[in-house]
Amino acid sequence: MTTDATAPWLIVGLGNPGPEYAMNRHNVGFMVADLLAERIGGKFKRAGKAQAQVLEGRIGAPGPQNRRVILAKPMSFMNVSGGPVTGLRDFYKVPVGNIVAIHDELDIDYGTMRLKLGGGDNGHNGLKSITKSMSADYHRVRFGIGRPPGRMQVADFVLKDFSSTERKELDYLVDRAADAVECLVTEGLERAQSAYNS
């Protein structure tokens, strides 16, 4: 699938709204979206009916690689992210191939990142909801959080804050994920995969 060079990109950080979830592993998509907003130099605003916070801006150096982007953080809960994402896709007329979901990934070790187009949801409720609402043919930036230790339930693990050890690297990894999103949007998936897949 090719992306449309003239259409805007919709970059969605997945997470749960509310201060009690802010530093959870499940909210790393929000963390990356917040950093991208900082780089663009704007603030998120509530988007009407879409149940999301949105920031419109541009990514990339002036010239042919400069892209119009809509950054979004769904304000529904994670497991119903599909509604807000589909609403934004329709409102901004974004092709599915120009949508990027940034999310935590249990099947990848902490400190590791992978970018891909399409595929399954690996039990991730946010992806499951988005795929059900439209299709699976969107980009994913998968931020590894690893598996829960011992017998801890997955739901408990993803809704816990990053550990003190993990937090030492977290800013660097969030920064790297934001770089990967920018590379994906301006230079394409293959270039971003070769530079950032680890």
Side-chain angles (χ1 to χ4, degrees):
M1 170 187 286
T2 56
T3 54
D4 182 339
T6 58
W9 283 75
L10 174 59
I11 300 167
V12 183
L14 295 181
N16 285 309
E20 67 273 34
Y21 299 106
M23 291 306 294
N24 286 181
R25 292 181 177 93
H26 224 17
N27 268 44
V28 76
F30 275 16
M31 295 173 201
V32 177
D34 285 338
L35 179 58
L36 286 165
E38 217 176 279
R39 290 181 181 186
I40 288 170
K43 290 207 179 331
F44 281 103
K45 294 185 175 70
R46 196 70 190 230
K49 296 177 186 171
Q51 230 191 332
Q53 287 187 352
V54 171
L55 167 63
E56 293 182 62
R58 301 195 80 85
I59 283 178
Q65 290 186 325
N66 189 262
R67 299 281 183 263
R68 180 177 166 230
V69 297
I70 297 98
L71 264 183
K73 298 191 296 184
M75 291 288 113
S76 58
F77 280 87
M78 177 73 86
N79 58 355
V80 285
S81 301
V85 174
T86 305
L88 292 169
R89 177 202 67 182
D90 294 346
F91 181 79
Y92 289 102
K93 299 181 173 48
V94 181
V96 176
N98 279 30
I99 296 175
V100 183
I102 310 160
H103 64 92
D104 57 306
E105 178 61 69
L106 286 158
D107 287 340
I108 303 174
D109 290 338
Y110 183 72
T112 304
M113 183 168 49
R114 302 260 166 78
L115 289 85
K116 71 173 189 172
L117 175 62
D121 56 55
N122 279 10
H124 192 288
N125 288 330
L127 298 182
K128 200 176 287 182
S129 176
I130 294 170
T131 298
K132 190 177 172 191
S133 291
M134 47 185 198
S135 79
D137 300 327
Y138 53 93
H139 291 86
R140 296 100 192 273
V141 174
R142 305 159 74 208
F143 189 108
I145 61 168
R147 285 262 157 204
R151 296 185 178 183
M152 187 189 286
Q153 294 295 310
V154 164
D156 295 333
F157 179 69
V158 299
L159 293 175
K160 278 205 174 359
D161 288 359
F162 284 100
S163 70
S164 54
T165 307
E166 288 169 335
R167 279 201 295 272
K168 288 174 186 164
E169 275 191 288
L170 186 59
D171 286 351
Y172 164 75
L173 295 171
V174 167
D175 195 64
R176 195 164 178 272
D179 290 346
V181 172
E182 291 181 346
C183 183
L184 168 61
V185 168
T186 59
E187 298 184 54
L189 180 61
E190 278 183 34
R191 173 80 187 88
Q193 283 175 325
S194 67
Y196 293 98
N197 276 13
S198 49

